[in-house]
Amino acid sequence: MQRLRAALLGASACLCGSLLHTPLAATEGGASLFVPGLHGPGAGIIPPPGFYFENDFYSYSGRLSARKQTQFGGAILSNVEVEARINFATPTWVTPFEILGGNLAFAVSIPFGTPRVSAGAVIAAPRFGRAVGLSLRDATFNIGDPVVTSSLGWHAGNFHWLVGGAVSIPAGAYQDGQLSNVAFNRWIGDVYAAATWLDPKIGLDISTTVGFEINGTNQATDYRSGNAFHADLAITQYLSKEFSIGVLASHYHQVSGDGGAGASLGPYKGRVTAVGGTIGYNLDIAGTPVSTRLKIMREVSVENRPQGTSVLVSVAFPLGPAPSPKAAPEPKVVKH
């Protein structure tokens, strides 16, 4: 059971720090720090002090109705299709320091990959130098903005909770005048709270996260994205010490409109509700506990954004010997 415990806690710590980028809610280009289902099982758990690493591969496919217009990099488009294949590397440090009795942790996430954006019609493209009315495609490999995260977590029996904050720093390889960008080229802040109820007797994990995203202005396009509320819920059952399955639900709602001279479509508030499932498997490689997890989310209700399906594959493990957990209970799965 120690292997399961260490792997579970290691994955939880990295997931708390991994705030991914992908075409998502309204905002400029439909891009946001929040990803539906990111805060899944163990979202409220911070593991013991130590160093951890997580790698996430994210795939998204979505389409915006031909009757709806959207904006990418200064161009107004319709009949838009989005394909994103992005990888996120996230080292995490859970420090030995405590604040108000809580464990302090830091993480940095570096995204890179190739978003593919195609539009069946170009309504306006002042920054692209191309004719209006023609189709437009762009697919370029680039590096996104780094995201720095800090969190503080507590434990009390089966209950675990944390508060955290993340900042996306506009230091990536943003390409002005292009559709395909992993980088946002704007400051983004996100504050959130998460809680997990992990019952060690039956192997049941119930986790929820709520947060608020604050967006800045892309100086290259003079587009100020609106702020948004987001929430996640995950219910997971461990069927054995290695294997778990669960259900996921997620909601993102923009509460303030887009603005700035570059926001040609007006406030353009967006929202998305997604549901899905997850499968987790824990294993041991050369004495190192490794946690793997697959998440699939389908967007079932959307407004002012593409609608599609996302797949997230995560692998997390401690760097060096697995720390000895003190605060979190050992899941003792009841076999039926």
Side-chain angles (χ1 to χ4, degrees):
M1 294 301 179
Q2 184 175 2
R3 179 178 64 186
L4 170 61
R5 176 172 55 189
L8 174 62
L9 296 181
S12 299
C14 294
L15 286 174
C16 291
S18 300
L19 296 175
L20 312 185
H21 310 57
T22 187
L24 188 61
T27 57
E28 185 181 14
S32 169
L33 275 181
F34 175 73
V35 173
L38 173 64
H39 299 280
I45 302 175
I46 287 187
F51 293 92
Y52 302 83
F53 182 81
E54 178 168 351
N55 191 82
D56 300 280
F57 176 74
Y58 191 84
S59 176
Y60 176 84
S61 299
R63 182 171 183 174
L64 185 70
S65 169
R67 296 171 296 178
K68 194 73 177 180
Q69 297 178 1
T70 190
Q71 195 161 345
F72 277 83
I76 301 176
L77 313 170
S78 67
N79 194 19
V80 174
E81 293 186 8
V82 178
E83 299 279 342
R85 307 291 183 266
I86 304 174
N87 198 82
F88 305 87
T90 306
T92 297
W93 177 37
V94 181
T95 76
F97 310 113
E98 293 187 358
I99 298 177
L100 301 176
N103 303 110
L104 178 65
F106 297 96
V108 179
S109 184
I110 305 296
F112 55 90
T114 305
R116 294 176 174 84
V117 181
S118 62
V122 180
I123 310 303
R127 305 175 61 83
F128 285 72
R130 306 185 190 184
V132 173
L134 298 179
S135 61
L136 190 63
R137 293 186 178 183
D138 189 17
T140 306
F141 175 86
N142 49 72
I143 299 175
D145 299 329
V147 180
V148 179
T149 304
S150 179
S151 53
L152 189 64
W154 295 264
H155 313 274
N158 295 345
F159 187 55
H160 316 270
W161 69 101
L162 62 81
V163 294
V167 177
S168 178
I169 304 170
Y174 180 79
Q175 303 178 92
D176 190 14
Q178 299 295 320
L179 297 180
S180 177
N181 270 301
V182 178
F184 298 133
N185 198 42
R186 67 178 187 265
W187 288 92
I188 307 176
D190 190 89
V191 291
Y192 58 93
T196 292
W197 175 264
L198 177 60
D199 191 323
K201 294 182 179 179
I202 61 175
L204 178 64
D205 180 318
I206 301 175
S207 296
T208 185
T209 305
V210 294
F212 191 77
E213 180 185 272
I214 304 169
N215 282 284
T217 299
N218 182 345
Q219 299 298 330
T221 59
D222 197 12
Y223 194 112
R224 185 181 67 254
S225 298
N227 304 325
F229 165 84
H230 58 82
D232 281 297
L233 174 65
I235 302 175
T236 308
Q237 177 67 54
Y238 283 85
L239 303 180
S240 70
K241 63 181 182 180
E242 292 90 8
F243 184 69
S244 64
I245 60 174
V247 294
L248 307 170
S250 184
H251 184 71
Y252 178 101
H253 197 111
Q254 194 173 335
V255 296
S256 64
D258 299 345
S264 303
L265 297 177
Y268 205 69
K269 291 183 180 180
R271 63 170 175 80
V272 55
T273 300
V275 296
T278 179
I279 298 175
Y281 188 78
N282 299 300
L283 64 156
D284 188 281
I285 300 178
T288 299
V290 178
S291 176
T292 64
R293 183 163 294 279
L294 169 68
K295 298 177 183 176
I296 301 177
M297 299 290 290
R298 175 62 184 175
E299 295 166 340
V300 295
S301 178
V302 300
E303 182 178 346
N304 289 336
R305 61 163 313 279
Q307 182 174 13
T309 301
S310 64
V311 177
L312 180 66
V313 180
S314 303
V315 179
F317 51 88
L319 298 174
S324 176
K326 295 181 179 180
E330 176 181 339
K332 298 178 180 178
V333 180
V334 175
K335 294 184 179 181
H336 299 282

